[in-house]
Amino acid sequence: MAATTVGIAGGALLTLAAVVLHYSKGSEWTPREDISQDVLERRAETVPETDFPEPGNRSIGGGGAVAAVGGAGGEGEGELAEGESGDDSPAAIPDDEAEVFEVEYVKEGETVEVQENETLLEAGEDEGWDLPYACREGQCISCAGHITDGGNAEDYVEHHTNQMLGEPELDEGYTLTCVAYPKSDLTLETGESP
């Protein structure tokens, strides 16, 4: 019986100690300021800017391939002959010489002016829209859209490096917005693939 009394007294003492510790003021510990954003910004400042295409926002392993140019001064393979143009893309047209076209983005509910040296995807991103894309090279159909004005898509846009759409898709008005440069006014439904 003495053991039971000692056990009850010990339990009561431990309970009382737990209650006292629970209601005591403590050490007034305060957490430190969160510096994670400052650390990320400092790290980002140390990374040099590049001309590489940004990775795809909708795919694993997205992003465009970048071709290396060989040769260390001198006539090498891949160099342009005198008088040749290095870029036949509409993107090479200077801004002050580029024509401007009205493009209605149906799903976004807006009509914007797009220069002939800017892709339909870039123009939408400039407006702050999160348009679908992956490769940004015309090698997939993640960025596909549908020109609803009727006729062949290439009546309205010039595709630079289109590798996915054939004549049947182009005839139905489908386009790859990542490589489509406007050459007339048009109406576009983004996120529509053949």
Side-chain angles (χ1 to χ4, degrees):
M1 178 128 152
T4 307
T5 306
V6 172
I8 292 174
L13 187 61
L14 286 174
T15 303
L16 180 63
V19 169
V20 168
L21 287 175
H22 178 71
Y23 287 106
S24 66
K25 197 166 189 165
S27 64
E28 297 290 326
W29 177 83
T30 55
R32 292 185 179 182
E33 176 185 352
D34 181 15
I35 62 167
S36 60
Q37 190 61 38
D38 293 335
V39 171
L40 289 174
E41 288 172 8
R42 275 192 243 134
R43 285 183 183 170
E45 289 171 1
T46 64
V47 177
E49 291 291 323
T50 66
D51 292 331
F52 295 128
E54 66 181 81
N57 68 347
R58 303 283 193 288
S59 67
I60 296 175
V66 178
V69 177
E75 293 295 321
E77 191 176 316
E79 291 188 16
L80 297 175
E82 198 169 316
E84 278 187 54
S85 171
D87 191 0
D88 62 347
S89 166
I93 300 170
D95 284 344
D96 59 345
E97 296 176 17
E99 288 186 57
V100 176
F101 301 102
E102 296 284 323
V103 177
E104 178 186 355
Y105 288 79
V106 176
K107 292 181 180 177
E108 290 72 24
E110 288 190 40
T111 300
V112 297
E113 291 184 341
V114 182
Q115 289 186 308
E116 68 178 325
N117 63 355
E118 181 177 33
T119 66
L120 299 176
L121 175 62
E122 291 168 343
E125 289 176 331
D126 288 347
E127 295 297 314
W129 302 326
D130 185 23
L131 301 178
Y133 72 87
C135 73
R136 294 183 94 93
E137 300 285 332
Q139 298 175 1
C140 70
I141 60 169
S142 297
C143 69
H146 186 243
I147 298 173
T148 61
D149 297 300
N152 190 301
E154 294 197 327
D155 294 338
Y156 303 96
V157 297
E158 177 180 338
H159 285 104
H160 184 70
T161 68
N162 166 25
Q163 296 179 20
M164 292 304 295
L165 298 180
E167 276 306 311
E169 293 88 8
L170 294 171
D171 284 340
E172 292 177 23
Y174 288 100
T175 184
L176 300 177
T177 63
C178 73
V179 292
Y181 296 86
K183 58 184 187 181
S184 77
D185 295 344
L186 61 102
T187 304
L188 176 70
E189 288 184 336
T190 56
E192 296 293 323
S193 56

